[in-house]
Amino acid sequence: MSVRILALVGSLRAGSHNRQLAEAAVKLAPEGAEVDLFEGLAEIPFYNEDIDVEGAVPAAATKLREAVASADAVLLFSPEYNGTIPAVLKNAIDWLSRPYGASAFNGKPLAVVGTAYGQYGGVWAQDEARKAAGIAGATVIEDIKLSVPESVVRFAETHPGDDTEIADKLTEVITQLQGRATAPAAA
């Protein structure tokens, strides 16, 4: 049985290097793991408790909650916007944190990776994403990290999946997350 890892990308831009990194993860998943790229974060309205009521939850938010609930683990791909987490990713985390006490994240191993233009590869945003996801109920795996700096230069002519160093590191991230998802009680 394959471990299903759901990938959420914090950039909506078609040419996003984080999206390309997630696409590479789909292709590089080792045997026994399957990485599914979630589509639809742009359709989810900003979290508002007034619209998060039984029988009236927006379909896009329900689709996200169901996708995470059915996954064995979650892998977030976060760029860095003004030194922090992008709104689209934070909004997804907010929807997933509810209803209170029944987060779709509960007990799910989660890792955060990404790339950014700056010299640190988006580590501030990735740290913020880990913090928010942990508060939302995810079992954040702090030691699984990949921050790729200077994305605009590094991936100007090379897709992340074709960069041997990045492909190897990304494969290791997926392998580690797969191991955490299959460990007893997702240790």
Side-chain angles (χ1 to χ4, degrees):
M1 183 162 110
S2 200
V3 170
R4 185 169 172 267
I5 300 169
L6 187 69
L8 303 178
V9 180
S11 175
L12 302 177
R13 192 171 62 84
S16 161
H17 293 121
N18 280 282
R19 179 166 180 92
Q20 291 176 359
L21 199 59
E23 291 167 349
V26 170
K27 293 179 182 172
L28 294 169
E31 186 175 332
E34 175 185 341
V35 177
D36 294 324
L37 180 55
F38 182 83
E39 301 288 355
L41 290 185
E43 286 76 44
I44 301 170
F46 281 111
Y47 185 79
N48 176 345
E49 201 167 0
D50 291 342
I51 62 173
D52 187 11
V53 292
E54 192 172 334
V57 176
T62 298
K63 177 183 170 190
L64 173 65
R65 286 175 173 167
E66 290 172 350
V68 170
S70 68
D72 298 308
V74 180
L75 183 56
L76 304 181
F77 291 83
S78 184
E80 189 167 272
Y81 292 176
N82 298 312
T84 193
I85 185 174
V88 68
L89 194 53
K90 177 62 169 74
N91 188 50
I93 292 169
D94 290 344
W95 276 104
L96 291 164
S97 73
R98 301 292 182 182
Y100 182 76
S103 166
F105 277 140
N106 279 347
K108 302 280 180 194
L110 178 139
V112 182
V113 299
T115 185
Y117 180 68
Q119 64 181 338
Y120 302 111
V123 294
W124 289 348
Q126 293 164 31
D127 287 344
E128 291 294 320
R130 284 183 196 92
K131 175 184 170 187
I135 291 169
T139 302
V140 177
I141 311 301
E142 295 286 345
D143 61 337
I144 299 177
K145 296 181 180 180
L146 174 60
S147 301
V148 185
E150 301 175 345
S151 61
V152 173
V153 175
R154 183 159 193 157
F155 303 128
E157 296 179 20
T158 304
H159 188 283
D162 296 329
D163 181 312
T164 304
E165 178 187 6
I166 299 306
D168 289 347
K169 288 180 178 180
L170 188 56
T171 301
E172 180 59 25
V173 162
I174 299 164
T175 301
Q176 289 178 2
L177 189 55
Q178 174 189 18
R180 297 296 178 95
T182 58

